[in-house]
PDB file of all heavy atoms in Angstrom:
ATOM      1  N   VAL A 172      48.895  50.651 -26.217  1.00 98.00           N
ATOM      2  CA  VAL A 172      50.116  49.954 -26.624  1.00 98.00           C
ATOM      3  C   VAL A 172      50.531  49.021 -25.458  1.00 98.00           C
ATOM      4  O   VAL A 172      50.690  49.471 -24.342  1.00 98.00           O
ATOM      5  CB  VAL A 172      51.267  50.961 -26.921  1.00 98.00           C
ATOM      6  CG1 VAL A 172      52.554  50.251 -27.312  1.00 98.00           C
ATOM      7  CG2 VAL A 172      50.839  51.963 -27.981  1.00 98.00           C
ATOM      8  N   ARG A 173      50.675  47.717 -25.774  1.00 98.00           N
ATOM      9  CA  ARG A 173      51.119  46.776 -24.767  1.00 98.00           C
ATOM     10  C   ARG A 173      52.394  46.097 -25.232  1.00 98.00           C
ATOM     11  O   ARG A 173      52.475  45.613 -26.364  1.00 98.00           O
ATOM     12  CB  ARG A 173      50.004  45.679 -24.590  1.00 98.00           C
ATOM     13  CG  ARG A 173      50.231  44.819 -23.347  1.00 98.00           C
ATOM     14  CD  ARG A 173      49.280  43.673 -23.327  1.00 98.00           C
ATOM     15  NE  ARG A 173      47.890  44.097 -23.099  1.00 98.00           N
ATOM     16  CZ  ARG A 173      47.232  43.912 -21.994  1.00 98.00           C
ATOM     17  NH1 ARG A 173      47.754  43.343 -20.960  1.00 98.00           N
ATOM     18  NH2 ARG A 173      45.960  44.301 -21.906  1.00 98.00           N
ATOM     19  N   ASP A 174      53.438  46.134 -24.352  1.00 97.00           N
ATOM     20  CA  ASP A 174      54.748  45.574 -24.708  1.00 97.00           C
ATOM     21  C   ASP A 174      55.238  46.127 -26.038  1.00 97.00           C
ATOM     22  O   ASP A 174      55.726  45.337 -26.902  1.00 97.00           O
ATOM     23  CB  ASP A 174      54.682  44.034 -24.755  1.00 97.00           C
ATOM     24  CG  ASP A 174      54.169  43.425 -23.465  1.00 97.00           C
ATOM     25  OD1 ASP A 174      54.399  44.045 -22.387  1.00 97.00           O
ATOM     26  OD2 ASP A 174      53.528  42.358 -23.509  1.00 97.00           O
ATOM     27  N   GLY A 175      54.989  47.388 -26.258  1.00 97.00           N
ATOM     28  CA  GLY A 175      55.515  48.009 -27.528  1.00 97.00           C
ATOM     29  C   GLY A 175      54.623  47.803 -28.707  1.00 97.00           C
ATOM     30  O   GLY A 175      54.908  48.312 -29.824  1.00 97.00           O
ATOM     31  N   GLN A 176      53.560  47.013 -28.572  1.00 98.00           N
ATOM     32  CA  GLN A 176      52.671  46.702 -29.713  1.00 98.00           C
ATOM     33  C   GLN A 176      51.321  47.380 -29.560  1.00 98.00           C
ATOM     34  O   GLN A 176      50.722  47.367 -28.504  1.00 98.00           O
ATOM     35  CB  GLN A 176      52.432  45.180 -29.772  1.00 98.00           C
ATOM     36  CG  GLN A 176      53.722  44.373 -30.012  1.00 98.00           C
ATOM     37  CD  GLN A 176      53.451  42.909 -29.974  1.00 98.00           C
ATOM     38  OE1 GLN A 176      52.654  42.436 -29.153  1.00 98.00           O
ATOM     39  NE2 GLN A 176      54.101  42.174 -30.866  1.00 98.00           N
ATOM     40  N   VAL A 177      50.871  47.904 -30.725  1.00 98.00           N
ATOM     41  CA  VAL A 177      49.576  48.583 -30.743  1.00 98.00           C
ATOM     42  C   VAL A 177      48.477  47.517 -30.659  1.00 98.00           C
ATOM     43  O   VAL A 177      48.472  46.575 -31.456  1.00 98.00           O
ATOM     44  CB  VAL A 177      49.380  49.409 -32.033  1.00 98.00           C
ATOM     45  CG1 VAL A 177      47.982  49.994 -32.147  1.00 98.00           C
ATOM     46  CG2 VAL A 177      50.441  50.532 -32.102  1.00 98.00           C
ATOM     47  N   THR A 178      47.588  47.667 -29.672  1.00 99.00           N
ATOM     48  CA  THR A 178      46.490  46.682 -29.566  1.00 99.00           C
ATOM     49  C   THR A 178      45.220  47.237 -30.243  1.00 99.00           C
ATOM     50  O   THR A 178      44.842  46.827 -31.321  1.00 99.00           O
ATOM     51  CB  THR A 178      46.245  46.307 -28.100  1.00 99.00           C
ATOM     52  OG1 THR A 178      46.056  47.451 -27.296  1.00 99.00           O
ATOM     53  CG2 THR A 178      47.352  45.419 -27.575  1.00 99.00           C
ATOM     54  N   GLU A 179      44.606  48.253 -29.589  1.00 98.00           N
ATOM     55  CA  GLU A 179      43.401  48.834 -30.141  1.00 98.00           C
ATOM     56  C   GLU A 179      43.134  50.199 -29.458  1.00 98.00           C
ATOM     57  O   GLU A 179      43.943  50.602 -28.632  1.00 98.00           O
ATOM     58  CB  GLU A 179      42.202  47.905 -29.984  1.00 98.00           C
ATOM     59  CG  GLU A 179      41.879  47.590 -28.537  1.00 98.00           C
ATOM     60  CD  GLU A 179      40.737  46.582 -28.313  1.00 98.00           C
ATOM     61  OE1 GLU A 179      39.878  46.481 -29.227  1.00 98.00           O
ATOM     62  OE2 GLU A 179      40.718  45.982 -27.285  1.00 98.00           O
ATOM     63  N   GLY A 180      42.049  50.852 -29.794  1.00 98.00           N
ATOM     64  CA  GLY A 180      41.711  52.092 -29.099  1.00 98.00           C
ATOM     65  C   GLY A 180      40.903  51.792 -27.901  1.00 98.00           C
ATOM     66  O   GLY A 180      40.485  50.646 -27.646  1.00 98.00           O
ATOM     67  N   SER A 181      40.583  52.838 -27.096  1.00 98.00           N
ATOM     68  CA  SER A 181      39.780  52.623 -25.882  1.00 98.00           C
ATOM     69  C   SER A 181      38.356  52.269 -26.233  1.00 98.00           C
ATOM     70  O   SER A 181      37.645  51.629 -25.413  1.00 98.00           O
ATOM     71  CB  SER A 181      39.837  53.846 -24.980  1.00 98.00           C
ATOM     72  OG  SER A 181      39.159  54.940 -25.567  1.00 98.00           O
ATOM     73  N   VAL A 182      37.903  52.677 -27.441  1.00 98.00           N
ATOM     74  CA  VAL A 182      36.511  52.362 -27.839  1.00 98.00           C
ATOM     75  C   VAL A 182      36.451  51.910 -29.325  1.00 98.00           C
ATOM     76  O   VAL A 182      35.418  51.954 -29.940  1.00 98.00           O
ATOM     77  CB  VAL A 182      35.590  53.582 -27.652  1.00 98.00           C
ATOM     78  CG1 VAL A 182      35.460  53.996 -26.241  1.00 98.00           C
ATOM     79  CG2 VAL A 182      36.021  54.790 -28.523  1.00 98.00           C
ATOM     80  N   SER A 183      37.610  51.525 -29.872  1.00 98.00           N
ATOM     81  CA  SER A 183      37.648  51.229 -31.315  1.00 98.00           C
ATOM     82  C   SER A 183      38.807  50.272 -31.623  1.00 98.00           C
ATOM     83  O   SER A 183      39.707  50.084 -30.821  1.00 98.00           O
ATOM     84  CB  SER A 183      37.866  52.522 -32.048  1.00 98.00           C
ATOM     85  OG  SER A 183      39.101  53.118 -31.678  1.00 98.00           O
ATOM     86  N   ASN A 184      38.758  49.699 -32.814  1.00 99.00           N
ATOM     87  CA  ASN A 184      39.919  48.957 -33.314  1.00 99.00           C
ATOM     88  C   ASN A 184      40.751  49.930 -34.156  1.00 99.00           C
ATOM     89  O   ASN A 184      40.237  50.939 -34.651  1.00 99.00           O
ATOM     90  CB  ASN A 184      39.498  47.781 -34.174  1.00 99.00           C
ATOM     91  CG  ASN A 184      38.867  46.654 -33.321  1.00 99.00           C
ATOM     92  OD1 ASN A 184      37.697  46.374 -33.415  1.00 99.00           O
ATOM     93  ND2 ASN A 184      39.687  46.026 -32.473  1.00 99.00           N
ATOM     94  N   VAL A 185      42.057  49.608 -34.285  1.00 99.00           N
ATOM     95  CA  VAL A 185      42.975  50.514 -34.977  1.00 99.00           C
ATOM     96  C   VAL A 185      43.532  49.841 -36.210  1.00 99.00           C
ATOM     97  O   VAL A 185      43.974  48.678 -36.168  1.00 99.00           O
ATOM     98  CB  VAL A 185      44.167  50.942 -34.015  1.00 99.00           C
ATOM     99  CG1 VAL A 185      45.174  51.764 -34.792  1.00 99.00           C
ATOM    100  CG2 VAL A 185      43.638  51.676 -32.820  1.00 99.00           C
ATOM    101  N   MET A 186      43.470  50.511 -37.347  1.00 98.00           N
ATOM    102  CA  MET A 186      44.053  49.992 -38.595  1.00 98.00           C
ATOM    103  C   MET A 186      45.135  50.919 -39.097  1.00 98.00           C
ATOM    104  O   MET A 186      44.984  52.162 -39.006  1.00 98.00           O
ATOM    105  CB  MET A 186      42.989  49.799 -39.652  1.00 98.00           C
ATOM    106  CG  MET A 186      41.880  48.851 -39.178  1.00 98.00           C
ATOM    107  SD  MET A 186      41.096  47.956 -40.445  1.00 98.00           S
ATOM    108  CE  MET A 186      39.970  46.954 -39.446  1.00 98.00           C
ATOM    109  N   VAL A 187      46.153  50.357 -39.678  1.00 98.00           N
ATOM    110  CA  VAL A 187      47.315  51.098 -40.090  1.00 98.00           C
ATOM    111  C   VAL A 187      47.640  50.765 -41.541  1.00 98.00           C
ATOM    112  O   VAL A 187      47.526  49.589 -41.935  1.00 98.00           O
ATOM    113  CB  VAL A 187      48.551  50.680 -39.189  1.00 98.00           C
ATOM    114  CG1 VAL A 187      49.835  51.273 -39.652  1.00 98.00           C
ATOM    115  CG2 VAL A 187      48.291  51.049 -37.719  1.00 98.00           C
ATOM    116  N   VAL A 188      47.967  51.792 -42.338  1.00 98.00           N
ATOM    117  CA  VAL A 188      48.434  51.485 -43.702  1.00 98.00           C
ATOM    118  C   VAL A 188      49.912  51.819 -43.805  1.00 98.00           C
ATOM    119  O   VAL A 188      50.337  52.933 -43.478  1.00 98.00           O
ATOM    120  CB  VAL A 188      47.640  52.331 -44.746  1.00 98.00           C
ATOM    121  CG1 VAL A 188      48.118  52.042 -46.171  1.00 98.00           C
ATOM    122  CG2 VAL A 188      46.138  52.099 -44.618  1.00 98.00           C
ATOM    123  N   ARG A 189      50.706  50.775 -44.139  1.00 98.00           N
ATOM    124  CA  ARG A 189      52.136  50.979 -44.349  1.00 98.00           C
ATOM    125  C   ARG A 189      52.536  50.297 -45.626  1.00 98.00           C
ATOM    126  O   ARG A 189      52.184  49.126 -45.836  1.00 98.00           O
ATOM    127  CB  ARG A 189      52.961  50.384 -43.193  1.00 98.00           C
ATOM    128  CG  ARG A 189      52.764  51.132 -41.883  1.00 98.00           C
ATOM    129  CD  ARG A 189      53.771  50.673 -40.852  1.00 98.00           C
ATOM    130  NE  ARG A 189      53.801  49.249 -40.653  1.00 98.00           N
ATOM    131  CZ  ARG A 189      54.913  48.556 -40.373  1.00 98.00           C
ATOM    132  NH1 ARG A 189      56.080  49.145 -40.311  1.00 98.00           N
ATOM    133  NH2 ARG A 189      54.823  47.247 -40.197  1.00 98.00           N
ATOM    134  N   ASN A 190      53.233  50.992 -46.482  1.00 96.00           N
ATOM    135  CA  ASN A 190      53.681  50.433 -47.765  1.00 96.00           C
ATOM    136  C   ASN A 190      52.533  49.752 -48.515  1.00 96.00           C
ATOM    137  O   ASN A 190      52.671  48.700 -49.115  1.00 96.00           O
ATOM    138  CB  ASN A 190      54.780  49.388 -47.523  1.00 96.00           C
ATOM    139  CG  ASN A 190      55.926  49.950 -46.688  1.00 96.00           C
ATOM    140  OD1 ASN A 190      56.353  51.093 -46.932  1.00 96.00           O
ATOM    141  ND2 ASN A 190      56.369  49.206 -45.706  1.00 96.00           N
ATOM    142  N   GLY A 191      51.377  50.412 -48.490  1.00 96.00           N
ATOM    143  CA  GLY A 191      50.207  49.917 -49.257  1.00 96.00           C
ATOM    144  C   GLY A 191      49.544  48.698 -48.630  1.00 96.00           C
ATOM    145  O   GLY A 191      48.641  48.133 -49.253  1.00 96.00           O
ATOM    146  N   VAL A 192      50.007  48.270 -47.440  1.00 98.00           N
ATOM    147  CA  VAL A 192      49.431  47.114 -46.802  1.00 98.00           C
ATOM    148  C   VAL A 192      48.615  47.568 -45.591  1.00 98.00           C
ATOM    149  O   VAL A 192      49.068  48.420 -44.826  1.00 98.00           O
ATOM    150  CB  VAL A 192      50.528  46.151 -46.300  1.00 98.00           C
ATOM    151  CG1 VAL A 192      49.970  44.921 -45.585  1.00 98.00           C
ATOM    152  CG2 VAL A 192      51.402  45.697 -47.490  1.00 98.00           C
ATOM    153  N   LEU A 193      47.400  47.021 -45.468  1.00 98.00           N
ATOM    154  CA  LEU A 193      46.568  47.336 -44.326  1.00 98.00           C
ATOM    155  C   LEU A 193      46.867  46.347 -43.193  1.00 98.00           C
ATOM    156  O   LEU A 193      46.796  45.138 -43.373  1.00 98.00           O
ATOM    157  CB  LEU A 193      45.097  47.171 -44.732  1.00 98.00           C
ATOM    158  CG  LEU A 193      44.028  47.535 -43.695  1.00 98.00           C
ATOM    159  CD1 LEU A 193      44.159  48.974 -43.239  1.00 98.00           C
ATOM    160  CD2 LEU A 193      42.624  47.307 -44.273  1.00 98.00           C
ATOM    161  N   GLU A 194      47.271  46.913 -42.046  1.00 98.00           N
ATOM    162  CA  GLU A 194      47.668  46.057 -40.919  1.00 98.00           C
ATOM    163  C   GLU A 194      46.790  46.382 -39.722  1.00 98.00           C
ATOM    164  O   GLU A 194      46.449  47.520 -39.474  1.00 98.00           O
ATOM    165  CB  GLU A 194      49.134  46.307 -40.534  1.00 98.00           C
ATOM    166  CG  GLU A 194      50.094  45.909 -41.641  1.00 98.00           C
ATOM    167  CD  GLU A 194      51.519  46.321 -41.332  1.00 98.00           C
ATOM    168  OE1 GLU A 194      51.740  47.461 -40.889  1.00 98.00           O
ATOM    169  OE2 GLU A 194      52.441  45.511 -41.566  1.00 98.00           O
ATOM    170  N   THR A 195      46.435  45.326 -38.993  1.00 98.00           N
ATOM    171  CA  THR A 195      45.657  45.518 -37.781  1.00 98.00           C
ATOM    172  C   THR A 195      45.960  44.369 -36.816  1.00 98.00           C
ATOM    173  O   THR A 195      46.364  43.272 -37.248  1.00 98.00           O
ATOM    174  CB  THR A 195      44.158  45.637 -38.052  1.00 98.00           C
ATOM    175  OG1 THR A 195      43.493  46.128 -36.879  1.00 98.00           O
ATOM    176  CG2 THR A 195      43.525  44.314 -38.474  1.00 98.00           C
ATOM    177  N   ALA A 196      45.833  44.638 -35.505  1.00 98.00           N
ATOM    178  CA  ALA A 196      46.137  43.578 -34.533  1.00 98.00           C
ATOM    179  C   ALA A 196      45.305  42.322 -34.774  1.00 98.00           C
ATOM    180  O   ALA A 196      44.127  42.459 -35.153  1.00 98.00           O
ATOM    181  CB  ALA A 196      45.889  44.154 -33.105  1.00 98.00           C
TER     182      ALA A 196
END
Side-chain angles (χ1 to χ4, degrees):
V172 179
R173 192 188 293 252
D174 304 330
Q176 297 175 321
V177 174
T178 52
E179 61 182 336
S181 69
V182 297
S183 61
N184 290 112
V185 175
M186 302 210 177
V187 173
V188 180
R189 292 192 306 145
N190 307 316
V192 178
L193 182 60
E194 296 173 315
T195 193

